[in-house]
C-alpha cells in the first residue's frame, strides 16, 4: 500500500490527466437527454400538476386570484381553476365572454331568440276639446251705420241661420237702395246697370228676398236687419245699441258646436306609432263612465318649440253639445307601427344603454360553455316591453335577456369590449347575411382614401358597405384614413378600394377615373 501511494505521488500529474480524460469521454458517450427515472418523473408530474392548480379564480369576478380552492370572497361562488375559463375552440373570439354552466345558472343568465312580430303599442294621449275651426263665422259690418236694435243680448246665446241679430241704420245703404230703384226703371234699356245695383246689395250681405222686397216696395228701407250666416253659439258680441260701426268692424262671432275637434298632445316618441285613420277611444273627465270613439284625421307636421309636442286631431260629432270646448280628455290609441307590420323585436331587459350606444350580448352557438359576444345595435321605436331592432341583429340569434349586467361586468373586469369599454370602431357591425362564424372570423384593414367633407364621408362609406362581406366601414376625414372590418372569406381590402375609387375617391392602390372625379360636387374636389 505504501509503495502504491509512493508511486501515485511520483506520478501525480499523470493521474490527474487520466482522470480528466476519463470524465470527458464519459460525458461524450452518455446521452444528454436520457430519460429520468420513474420516481423522478412522478415527482416532476406531481409538481407540474400542483403548479397548474395553484391559481384559482371566480367565473363572475375574474380579478380574484387565489392559490387554493375555496369560495369567492365577493359572491361566495366556488372558485375554479384559471385554465378552465379558457376556450379550447379554434374559432373562439378573444373578445367573447366564456362562462361555466354553474356560473351561468348562479347568475340567472337567460336567453331568448330574436324573432319577428307585429310591433304594436298602446299609446296614452291627453288633450282638450276645441271648436271646429271650419264652423266659425265672423259677422262684420259690410257698411257703416248706427245700431238701432240688438236681438242678441249675451255671449253664449243660441241662434239659427237667418235669425235676426241686430238692426242697423245706414245712410250708405239708403243711397244704394235708391240706385237700385232708379236702375229698376231702366231695367229693359240698361240691364247691366240693374244687375250691378243688385250685385252691390248682395255683396253687402242682403239676401235675395230683402232685395226683392225693396224693388216691390218702390222706396228705400231705412232700417235693415243683420242676419246670422250659420246656426250656432254667439261667442263674442262686440256692439251695443246706439254704437256707430265702420265698414269691416267685427260685430259677432258665431260657432257651430254640432261637430268639435279633440286635439291630443303627442310627444316625439309617439309619432312613429300614429297615422291618419287610427281609431281612438277617449274619455272626458266631466262625463265619467262614458266612452267616445273617433279616428285620427290630422297630425300636425310641426312640433311646439316650448312643449315639444305635435297636435293630433280627432273630429267628433256633437249633436247634443255635451262636449264643450276646453274640456280635458284622456285618449288611448291601439296602434301598429306606421311603416311596417312585422319587425324584429327584443325585450327591453336585453338592452344596455350607454347614452349614444345600445348594447346587447349575443349567445355564440355551438360552444361547450355558455359564450356571449358583445354587439352594438340600432333600435327603432319602443313597443310596450319590447324594442324594434333597426339594425345589428338577425332573426333566430339568441340574446341575453336576464343577467345582462353580470355579463357586462365580467367583460369590464377583463378589459373586453363592454358597455363602458368601446370597441375600436364605433360603428354598428353590418351582420345581415353573415353566419355567426363569419362575424367571428373577421379582419381589420386600414388604408388611405382622399376626400374633403361629410358628403365625401357618406359616399366613401356607402361604397365600402355595398361590397358583400364588409361588416363595418368608417372613414376619418381629418386623417384621410379608412377603418374596414370584413369577412376574408367573402371579400378583401383590395376589392373595397376598387369600389371606392369607382365612385370618385383615390385610394392607396387605385386612382378614381377623371370622368367620375370631375362630376363630384365642388366641395368634394380634393385634388
Amino acid at each position: 500500500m505504501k509503495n502504491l501511494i509512493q508511486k501515485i505521488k511520483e506520478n501525480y500529474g499523470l493521474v490527474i490527466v487520466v482522470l480528466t480524460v476519463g470524465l470527458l469521454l464519459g460525458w461524450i458517450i452518455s446521452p444528454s437527454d436520457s430519460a429520468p427515472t420513474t420516481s423522478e418523473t412522478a415527482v416532476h408530474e406531481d409538481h407540474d400538476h400542483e403548479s397548474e392548480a395553484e391559481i384559482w379564480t371566480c367565473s363572475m369576478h375574474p380579478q380574484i386570484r387565489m392559490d387554493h380552492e375555496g369560495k369567492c370572497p365577493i359572491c361566495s361562488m366556488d372558485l375554479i381553476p384559471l385554465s378552465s375559463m379558457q376556450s379550447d375552440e379554434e374559432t373562439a373570439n378573444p373578445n367573447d365572454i366564456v362562462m361555466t354552466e354553474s356560473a351561468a345558472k348562479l347568475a340567472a343568465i337567460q336567453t331568448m331568440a330574436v324573432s319577428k312580430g307585429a310591433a304594436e303599442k298602446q299609446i296614452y294621449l291627453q288633450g282638450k276639446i276645441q271648436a271646429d275651426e271650419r264652423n266659425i263665422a265672423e259677422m262684420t259690418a259690410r257698411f257703416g251705420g248706427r245700431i238701432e236694435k240688438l236681438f242678441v243680448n249675451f255671449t253664449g246665446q243660441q241662434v239659427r241661420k237667418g235669425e235676426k241679430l241686430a238692426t242697423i241704420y245706414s245712410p250708405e245703404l239708403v243711397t244704394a237702395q235708391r240706385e237700385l230703384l232708379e236702375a229698376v226703371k231702366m231695367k229693359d234699356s240698361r240691364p247691366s246697370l240693374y244687375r250691378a245695383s243688385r250685385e252691390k246689395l248682395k255683396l253687402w250681405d242682403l239676401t235675395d228676398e230683402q232685395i226683392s222686397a225693396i224693388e216691390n216696395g218702390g222706396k228705400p228701407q231705412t232700417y235693415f236687419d243683420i242676419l246670422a250666416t250659420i246656426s250656432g253659439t254667439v261667442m263674442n258680441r262686440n256692439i251695443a245699441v246706439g254704437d256707430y260701426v265702420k265698414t269691416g268692424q267685427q260685430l259677432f262671432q258665431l260657432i257651430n258646436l254640432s261637430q268639435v275637434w279633440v286635439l291630443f298632445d303627442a310627444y316625439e316618441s309617439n309619432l312613429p306609432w300614429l297615422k291618419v285613420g287610427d281609431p281612438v277611444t277617449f274619455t272626458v273627465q266631466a262625463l265619467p263612465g262614458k266612452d267616445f270613439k273617433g279616428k285620427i284625421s290630422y297630425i300636425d307636421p310641426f312640433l311646439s318649440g316650448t312643449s315639444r309636442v305635435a297636435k293630433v286631431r280627432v273630429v267628433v260629432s256633437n249633436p247634443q253639445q255635451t262636449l264643450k270646448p276646453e274640456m280635458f280628455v284622456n285618449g288611448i290609441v291601439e296602434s301598429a307601427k306606421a311603416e311596417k307590420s312585422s319587425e324584429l323585436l327584443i325585450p327591453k331587459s336585453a338592452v344596455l344603454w350607454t347614452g349614444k350606444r345600445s348594447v346587447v350580448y349575443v349567445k355564440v352557438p355551438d360552444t361547450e360553455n355558455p359564450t356571449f359576444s358583445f354587439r352594438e345595435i340600432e333600435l327603432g321605436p319602443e313597443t310596450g316591453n319590447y324594442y324594434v331592432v333597426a339594425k345589428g341583429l338577425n332573426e333566430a340569434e339568441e340574446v341575453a335577456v336576464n343577467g345582462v349586467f353580470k355579463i357586462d361586468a365580467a367583460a369590464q373586469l377583463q378589459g373586453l369590449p363592454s358597455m363602458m369599454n368601446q370597441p375600436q370602431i364605433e360603428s354598428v357591425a353590418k351582420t345581415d347575411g353573415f353566419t355567426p362564424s363569419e362575424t367571428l372570423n373577421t379582419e381589420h384593414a386600414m388604408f388611405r382614401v382622399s376626400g374633403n367633407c361629410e358628403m365625401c364621408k357618406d359616399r366613401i362609406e356607402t361604397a365600402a358597405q355595398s361590397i358583400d362581406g364588409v361588416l363595418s366601414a368608417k372613414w376619418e376625414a381629418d386623417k384621410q384614413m379608412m377603418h374596414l372590418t370584413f369577412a376574408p372569406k367573402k371579400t378583401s381590402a383590395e376589392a373595397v378600394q376598387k369600389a371606392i375609387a369607382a365612385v370618385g375617391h383615390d385610394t392607396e392602390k387605385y386612382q378614381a377615373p377623371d370622368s367620375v372625379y370631375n362630376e363630384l360636387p365642388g366641395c368634394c374636389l380634393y385634388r
Side-chain angles (χ1 to χ4, degrees):
M1 187 67 180
K2 290 182 178 179
N3 293 334
L4 179 62
I5 294 173
Q6 184 64 30
K7 289 181 178 181
I8 292 173
K9 289 180 178 180
E10 292 175 356
N11 302 285
Y12 178 81
L14 179 63
V15 171
I16 295 298
V17 172
V18 171
L19 288 175
T20 302
V21 172
L23 290 174
L24 181 60
L25 291 174
W27 179 78
I28 295 173
I29 296 172
S30 176
S32 61
D33 57 347
S34 59
T37 63
T38 305
S39 61
E40 289 175 346
T41 303
V43 170
H44 181 70
E45 290 178 353
D46 290 343
H47 175 73
D48 290 345
H49 177 73
E50 290 175 0
S51 62
E52 289 179 0
E54 279 183 356
I55 301 178
W56 296 75
T57 186
C58 175
S59 58
M60 293 305 299
H61 302 93
Q63 75 273 25
I64 300 299
R65 297 287 191 273
M66 292 190 176
D67 58 357
H68 59 274
E69 297 184 53
K71 300 285 187 180
C72 173
I74 299 177
C75 62
S76 299
M77 288 176 57
D78 290 333
L79 298 179
I80 61 175
L82 181 62
S83 59
S84 66
M85 297 184 65
Q86 307 299 323
S87 175
D88 297 329
E89 300 185 30
E90 296 180 357
T91 60
N93 189 326
N95 290 330
D96 288 347
I97 305 298
V98 182
M99 307 176 68
T100 63
E101 290 287 349
S102 59
K105 290 181 180 179
L106 190 59
I109 305 297
Q110 296 178 357
T111 62
M112 190 185 80
V114 180
S115 60
K116 287 187 176 182
E120 297 178 345
K121 185 179 182 181
Q122 196 174 63
I123 302 173
Y124 294 88
L125 302 174
Q126 293 183 329
K128 286 183 178 182
I129 304 293
Q130 298 290 348
D132 189 337
E133 294 177 359
R134 298 167 296 182
N135 294 332
I136 299 177
E138 295 285 350
M139 303 292 297
T140 58
R142 300 301 179 92
F143 43 81
R146 183 181 68 246
I147 304 299
E148 297 293 335
K149 292 183 181 180
L150 199 60
F151 301 101
V152 174
N153 299 316
F154 58 90
T155 300
Q157 184 173 339
Q158 298 292 323
V159 298
R160 301 180 65 85
K161 183 177 181 179
E163 185 177 341
K164 295 179 181 180
L165 301 179
T167 299
I168 187 172
Y169 165 74
S170 173
E172 296 178 15
L173 187 56
V174 172
T175 303
Q177 293 179 70
R178 289 174 178 166
E179 292 176 357
L180 174 62
L181 294 176
E182 291 296 328
V184 169
K185 298 176 183 179
M186 297 180 289
K187 181 177 181 181
D188 296 332
S189 60
R190 302 184 64 181
S192 59
L193 179 61
Y194 169 71
R195 288 195 300 269
S197 300
R198 286 185 61 93
E199 190 64 28
K200 181 178 180 180
L201 294 176
K202 290 182 69 173
L203 292 175
W204 283 358
D205 273 354
L206 270 67
T207 64
D208 291 332
E209 292 77 10
Q210 290 176 315
I211 296 173
S212 298
I214 296 172
E215 293 182 11
N216 297 330
K219 62 179 181 178
Q221 296 183 13
T222 308
Y223 302 102
F224 261 89
D225 297 326
I226 299 174
L227 306 180
T229 55
I230 63 170
S231 298
T233 304
V234 177
M235 292 298 296
N236 288 310
R237 179 179 66 87
N238 300 314
I239 56 174
V241 175
D243 285 349
Y244 280 86
V245 296
K246 297 180 180 180
T247 302
Q249 181 177 335
Q250 188 183 61
L251 305 178
F252 304 96
Q253 184 185 55
L254 305 181
I255 298 180
N256 188 340
L257 297 177
S258 60
Q259 181 174 279
V260 294
W261 286 352
V262 183
L263 296 181
F264 292 103
D265 294 332
Y267 290 97
E268 296 175 71
S269 58
N270 292 330
L271 293 179
W273 297 94
L274 300 175
K275 62 181 182 295
V276 174
D278 282 345
V280 181
T281 301
F282 64 93
T283 58
V284 183
Q285 296 180 5
L287 303 170
K290 187 174 182 179
D291 293 338
F292 298 86
K293 297 183 182 297
K295 291 185 177 181
I296 295 177
S297 61
Y298 175 79
I299 300 176
D300 198 333
F302 300 99
L303 287 177
S304 169
T306 54
S307 61
R308 307 301 303 165
V309 298
K311 295 295 182 181
V312 176
R313 181 195 304 164
V314 177
V315 180
V316 181
S317 179
N318 186 35
Q320 304 300 323
Q321 298 191 13
T322 54
L323 300 175
K324 305 183 184 302
E326 299 301 323
M327 281 184 171
F328 287 103
V329 297
N330 296 308
I332 300 176
V333 182
E334 298 284 351
S335 176
K337 191 170 184 292
E339 288 81 5
K340 299 179 182 178
S341 59
S342 182
E343 298 274 4
L344 283 178
L345 303 176
I346 58 173
K348 288 182 177 179
S349 59
V351 181
L352 299 178
W353 290 93
T354 64
K356 294 182 179 180
R357 302 183 298 145
S358 303
V359 173
V360 297
Y361 282 92
V362 182
K363 186 176 181 181
V364 179
D366 303 325
T367 54
E368 181 179 353
N369 293 321
T371 305
F372 298 91
S373 178
F374 172 89
R375 182 84 59 82
E376 289 186 29
I377 63 174
E378 289 183 9
L379 294 181
E382 174 189 351
T383 166
N385 294 323
Y386 293 84
Y387 285 115
V388 174
V389 180
K391 189 177 181 182
L393 284 175
N394 295 321
E395 190 175 7
E397 284 188 304
E398 283 192 62
V399 295
V401 297
N402 192 41
V404 186
F405 276 105
K406 297 177 183 177
I407 299 174
D408 190 79
Q412 293 183 38
L413 293 172
Q414 297 181 42
L416 300 178
S418 63
M419 180 173 64
M420 303 306 295
N421 299 327
Q422 292 191 22
Q424 183 177 6
I425 298 180
E426 299 180 1
S427 59
V428 178
K430 182 180 67 176
T431 60
D432 295 342
F434 292 87
T435 63
S437 62
E438 288 172 338
T439 59
L440 292 176
N441 298 323
T442 60
E443 291 185 6
H444 179 255
M446 295 174 58
F447 50 86
R448 186 172 298 279
V449 178
S450 299
N452 288 332
C453 58
E454 288 298 321
M455 291 178 63
C456 296
K457 176 180 175 67
D458 182 68
R459 189 181 304 109
I460 293 169
E461 292 180 352
T462 301
Q465 292 173 352
S466 66
I467 302 299
D468 186 26
V470 174
L471 276 77
S472 63
K474 181 181 178 182
W475 180 71
E476 297 179 350
D478 54 344
K479 299 179 181 179
Q480 301 280 287
M481 190 65 65
M482 167 64 80
H483 295 267
L484 185 71
T485 303
F486 62 95
K489 293 182 179 180
K490 287 192 171 185
T491 188
S492 64
E494 185 174 355
V496 176
Q497 290 193 51
K498 287 183 179 179
I500 295 174
V503 298
H505 292 271
D506 297 343
T507 68
E508 290 182 356
K509 289 189 175 182
Y510 300 96
Q511 184 175 7
D514 292 340
S515 59
V516 179
Y517 173 80
N518 293 331
E519 294 296 326
L520 295 178
C523 62
C524 298
L525 298 177
Y526 51 84
R527 293 178 185 170

